[in-house]
Amino acid sequence: MSEHAEAGSSKAARTTSDAAEDEFERLEAAEPENDPSAPQRHPMLHRLLQVGRVLVVLIVAAAVIYAMITNWDQILYTFRVLSWKSLLAIVIALACSMFAAVKVWQHLLAAMGTEVAFGHAAQVNLVGQLGKYLPGSVWAFVIQTQLGKRFRIPRARALVALLLAAGMSIVTALTVGAFAAEPLSERWGGWAWLLLLGPLTLITLAPPVLTRIANVAIKLMRRLQLDANLRAKHVLIATGWSFVSWIFLGLHIWLLTGALADQTLTGYLLCTAAFALAMAAGFVAFVLPSGIGVREAILVAGLAPIATTKEALAIALASRILFTIADLVSAAGGVIASKVTLRRHGEHEARTVALSEHRTRRPE
């Protein structure tokens, strides 16, 4: 290919990319409130729903705090019987799970044509996730999309990547949850075998299917839709990292059960499956801050084959304490990682292109 043709091709690609970015900016600046076809809100009903949501959050939080106070001796016992090596291993496991979660979000962005350095992805994702501790259903999304603006990550794609990451976590959690079917069948009866249907949800992660899901989400936000299927390579890698996160999250629960019984491979699989199901339930109960209450209830039920209700509740509450600390520490780590990236590579902006550009062949 001649130098003139090469230059022309590069210029055309840049023009297409700039046009796509400009279109995103134009659509994101649109005011949906001015759309006469948009459904009108009822102020009184909206206010009542907000009050009801706050009351639910307060009641559930109070119940968790009460459970923590009444079971404090058992929680302390859970920590006391752990060696410093086990506690260190738990911290490392949680850190690895956070790392994997960032990789999921980063690769889902790349699957949509937006590539961002890991250090900046860590800052946006790990700091933004602190919004899940606030009452309501959108704070984590709002914080992450706003943080992404610093690195020119299109807000629509940042939000959709976050939604897809949550959906992917639920799908992989249901798949991992299938390992709990047999041990839970003794306590839950035939209902436990329904967990074996979990792996069927993996079909939703096929790039053509996931692209349709992404476009539905984008359409609801009145944004520019994806022009081709999500890049299969990055979808596959993101799925792999999602499973990796469950491996480490299950490990931290398994280590916390060290005070109850001998730790076996079967026990590890049960802990991983139980915690995956508990987290999936927490994702679904998005109204509650970080799925508080729901996550603990499902985990207690999932650990029934190896722990009493009181022991399982102590483990669930100990996990909640450690998880909260890990979220705060990892958020600080994300900020540091971003600063290190800036120091090494200077100012960095996400590179966003139309998906069709990746499939265009250069003329020979």
Side-chain angles (χ1 to χ4, degrees):
M1 184 170 63
S2 68
E3 294 181 3
H4 293 292
E6 178 99 25
S9 175
S10 299
K11 183 178 180 180
R14 287 195 300 270
T15 302
T16 303
S17 177
D18 291 342
E21 184 64 26
D22 290 342
E23 182 66 9
F24 265 111
E25 295 295 333
R26 183 184 70 78
L27 288 169
E28 286 173 354
E31 295 290 341
E33 289 80 7
N34 296 331
D35 185 0
S37 63
Q40 300 298 315
R41 292 180 178 178
H42 299 283
M44 182 60 69
L45 178 60
H46 182 66
R47 191 174 294 110
L48 288 174
L49 288 175
Q50 283 187 319
V51 173
R53 179 182 298 171
V54 171
L55 287 175
V56 170
V57 170
L58 291 175
I59 291 171
V60 174
V64 172
I65 292 173
Y66 176 77
M68 191 172 292
I69 293 173
T70 55
N71 291 276
W72 188 245
D73 290 340
Q74 185 68 38
I75 294 173
L76 287 180
Y77 175 76
T78 302
F79 283 118
R80 285 195 190 112
V81 297
L82 293 174
S83 66
W84 68 267
K85 293 180 181 179
S86 295
L87 282 173
L88 179 61
I90 290 172
V91 172
I92 293 174
L94 288 174
C96 289
S97 72
M98 303 290 182
F99 175 88
V102 174
K103 297 296 290 185
V104 170
W105 188 73
Q106 183 189 24
H107 280 285
L108 284 175
L109 272 178
M112 289 188 286
T114 296
E115 298 182 359
V116 62
F118 175 80
H120 300 325
Q123 179 181 358
V124 175
N125 190 257
L126 295 176
V127 175
Q129 73 171 348
L130 296 180
K132 67 187 180 184
Y133 290 100
L134 299 174
S137 56
V138 297
W139 289 111
F141 303 108
V142 171
I143 295 173
Q144 288 199 22
T145 52
Q146 290 301 313
L147 287 172
K149 288 172 62 178
R150 177 183 179 187
F151 309 113
R152 286 186 63 79
I153 301 174
R155 283 181 292 174
R157 295 194 183 196
L159 178 56
V160 172
L162 189 58
L163 291 170
L164 292 181
M168 181 175 284
S169 293
I170 292 174
V171 168
T172 53
L174 293 175
T175 302
V176 171
F179 287 107
E182 193 277 330
L184 287 179
S185 63
E186 297 180 5
R187 298 295 184 98
W188 293 8
W191 292 104
W193 295 107
L194 292 176
L195 294 174
L196 294 177
L197 299 177
L200 296 179
T201 60
L202 286 172
I203 190 63
T204 61
L205 301 185
V209 179
L210 200 59
T211 301
R212 288 181 177 273
I213 295 172
N215 275 332
V216 168
I218 295 173
K219 186 176 182 180
L220 291 174
M221 293 185 290
R222 302 177 183 275
R223 298 295 192 261
L224 188 67
Q225 292 189 281
L226 302 177
D227 62 331
N229 284 339
L230 294 170
R231 298 162 69 184
K233 170 187 173 182
H234 288 286
V235 172
L236 182 61
I237 294 174
T239 302
W241 279 113
S242 187
F243 278 114
V244 168
S245 70
W246 294 126
I247 290 174
F248 286 108
L249 289 173
L251 179 61
H252 103 276
I253 291 294
W254 184 67
L255 290 170
L256 282 173
T257 63
L260 306 179
D262 293 334
Q263 293 166 320
T264 62
L265 177 59
T266 301
Y268 167 73
L269 292 176
L270 177 63
C271 289
T272 303
F275 193 73
L277 293 173
M279 289 290 285
F283 285 138
V284 174
F286 53 83
V287 174
L288 301 173
S290 191
I292 189 170
V294 175
R295 193 167 91 190
E296 285 74 19
I298 299 298
L299 183 57
V300 169
L303 294 178
I306 61 173
T308 65
T309 300
K310 187 173 183 178
E311 291 170 337
L313 182 57
I315 290 171
L317 294 173
S319 171
R320 169 70 68 176
I321 293 171
L322 291 171
F323 219 98
T324 302
I325 295 173
D327 278 336
L328 294 172
V329 174
S330 65
V335 173
I336 294 172
S338 181
K339 290 185 180 297
V340 170
T341 300
L342 286 172
R343 182 172 297 178
R344 289 183 177 178
H345 306 290
E347 290 296 326
H348 176 275
E349 293 183 353
R351 179 175 175 270
T352 297
V353 298
L355 288 177
S356 55
E357 291 184 33
H358 295 281
R359 302 177 5 155
T360 302
R361 290 186 177 182
R362 290 186 176 182
E364 296 182 1

